[in-house]
Amino acid sequence: MFLDHSIFSHSPIKHQKWGNFWAGSTLVCRKGTFMLLVVAFCWANLPVMAADWRCGADIIAGDAQTLLSTDPKPVWHDVQLNIEAVDAFTAAQLPGKSFRLADIAFVPGYEDAARAWLEQASANKVSITPLAERSDFLGRIPVRIEDQVIGDWQAELLAAGLAMLLPESGQDVSELIGIEDAAIKNHSGIWSDPSPATAYYVVAVDAGGEKTPTASDAIGRFAVIDGTIRSIEHQEWRSYLNFGSNWREDFTIALDATLRDAFANGEDFQDILQDWVGQEIRVRGVIENRGGPYITLENPFWLCLAR
């Protein structure tokens, strides 16, 4: 998956069907390609990492683990992949099939480094596990790819900061969340950019003395945002998570009725969401300008609470 360059510029956001957009778009290194490639392979055989965040099913009230996809999947073994693009792979022994890595996206400015990593990794035979019953609208099957030399390709790319986590498959991504979090803290790859105009990691509001760009700097772009919820406002069809004292200017996350009910899982959504006030939140999405920086949450796995 690759996020379109247009989302990362300060251009107006156009409404579109995001489900199709994520399935067919691409997220990308003009600099440091060799260094990033070396770092990526140094992370081979990563240890299991405990995430500091609870996301998606982990923060849904009650027993939400049943929402995760646990059906056994077929696996293609000993496959030699051809890298057609960072988000499109083929294999001679699987004619007519095209694949892309599920739950991650490649970002503008880092595509060359990610492509170099994939080209080197493709020297190894791999196991491919499909994570969706159907191909996306470009004919690609979202998959997990592993080999005995490198390990899990998603995990390695995230650890090196060559990709961004973008959960979509309904699988348990708690380990990947921990790996990406470590990459953010280590300023690896895409997370090393401190420029307000291009950074992929920002904070909800300026805490004073911080050099990290804020959500206001990233309006019109896709980003990962950290902040603390100060208040919540409920309306009939939507709830607003506010990160400052003035909701007309400060960062806000909007949950539609379907998502807030999903988080409540049959319980009172106002009681469930009220427990979030004062908690640190991590969210990802396109930051719009609606009086202030604003995200409409697209997927429950795109929102996390600090443990």
Side-chain angles (χ1 to χ4, degrees), residues 76-229:
W76 292 295
H77 294 287
D78 297 322
V79 177
Q80 196 80 56
L81 284 176
N82 300 313
I83 308 302
E84 309 291 344
V86 290
D87 56 354
F89 319 138
T90 58
Q93 61 264 60
L94 298 170
K97 296 185 183 298
S98 180
F99 310 100
R100 63 175 173 83
L101 285 165
D103 297 316
I104 65 171
F106 300 97
V107 305
Y110 291 80
E111 186 181 29
D112 291 343
R115 175 69 180 262
W117 190 99
L118 291 165
E119 292 282 5
Q120 188 167 344
S122 68
N124 306 320
K125 289 188 176 182
V126 301
S127 295
I128 302 176
T129 304
L131 297 182
E133 294 183 2
R134 299 179 180 178
S135 302
D136 64 21
F137 78 101
L138 291 179
R140 304 165 303 177
I141 303 172
V143 298
R144 178 189 301 118
I145 297 175
E146 300 172 283
D147 70 59
Q148 295 184 352
V149 178
I150 296 171
D152 186 313
W153 284 22
Q154 293 165 302
E156 299 294 337
L157 286 162
L158 289 170
L162 295 180
M164 176 186 290
L165 187 63
L166 204 67
E168 54 166 339
S169 68
Q171 304 294 308
D172 183 357
V173 294
S174 55
E175 183 178 340
L176 298 181
I177 290 164
I179 291 170
E180 182 189 64
D181 188 46
I184 292 173
K185 290 175 179 176
N186 292 332
H187 307 290
S188 301
I190 64 176
W191 312 112
S192 64
D193 185 355
S195 170
T198 54
Y200 296 112
Y201 172 76
V202 302
V203 293
V205 295
D206 188 352
E210 296 255 351
K211 293 184 179 179
T212 307
T214 67
S216 294
D217 295 319
I219 287 174
R221 296 187 282 119
F222 192 100
V224 172
I225 306 98
D226 284 355
T228 300
I229 296 179

